[in-house]
Amino acid sequence: MTVRTFSEKETEALGERLARSLPEDGAVVALYGDLGAGKTALVRGMARGLGVKDAVVSPTFTIVNEHAGERELFHFDMYRLSGADELFDIGWEDYLARNGVCAVEWSENVSDAFDGTEIRVTIEKCNESERAITVEGVELC
């Protein structure tokens, strides 16, 4: 399914809708898109949909930010990683075992860590405000 958004607020709203559509036993949301496409805005909306109250910012330098809410959110930024081995070194399997939601920015850098059950979200920047967001692997509610 492809949805067009026309503002950061609309992208966040789509993220909230996506979060409400995720399975209860945990999920990996693999995010793809260029710098400035809106990946973090989508995750901010996901956080709201998961009942997270704290601020959501890109974990570029920390690699992962953990957020408590009605459901746990683990927000990863793989921009600085060179492959899946580094992801496993920081405890990827431990995060998966916690059955929270793993939102992974720059998923293309660690795609071999995924098992094929991930939800794939591709964000295309059409212009300064418009985004074409394709969601695969889950039906949006």
Side-chain angles (χ1 to χ4, degrees):
M1 161 186 272
T2 299
V3 176
R4 291 198 178 272
T5 63
F6 297 91
S7 68
E8 189 170 325
K9 186 175 179 177
E10 286 184 18
T11 299
E12 288 181 14
L14 180 63
E16 188 171 354
R17 186 175 161 202
L18 172 61
R20 292 186 176 138
S21 305
L22 297 175
E24 290 295 320
D25 60 348
V28 173
V29 179
L31 300 161
Y32 299 87
D34 292 335
L35 189 65
K39 296 179 295 293
T40 301
L42 189 85
V43 175
R44 271 196 306 272
M46 288 175 59
R48 196 168 44 247
L50 296 170
V52 171
K53 302 293 184 208
D54 53 327
V56 173
V57 296
S58 182
T60 302
F61 297 101
T62 59
I63 308 298
V64 62
N65 289 336
E66 297 186 30
H67 301 281
E70 294 166 21
R71 295 178 66 190
E72 284 187 295
L73 172 64
F74 309 115
H75 183 194
F76 292 84
D77 186 322
M78 303 292 98
Y79 185 76
R80 297 186 178 283
L81 297 189
S82 61
D85 288 342
E86 290 182 54
L87 179 58
F88 284 100
D89 287 345
I90 64 167
W92 175 244
E93 292 168 319
D94 296 328
Y95 285 104
L96 294 176
R98 290 169 64 180
N99 289 327
V101 174
C102 296
V104 185
E105 295 191 33
W106 299 101
S107 290
E108 56 271 27
N109 291 351
V110 294
S111 59
D112 51 339
F114 304 137
D115 65 5
T117 63
E118 71 277 358
I119 292 138
R120 183 181 175 104
V121 178
T122 304
I123 304 175
E124 180 185 346
K125 186 176 180 179
C126 303
N127 59 44
E128 197 56 39
S129 59
E130 183 181 357
R131 304 294 187 266
I133 303 172
T134 303
V135 178
E136 300 171 275
V138 69
E139 292 292 322
L140 296 175
C141 58

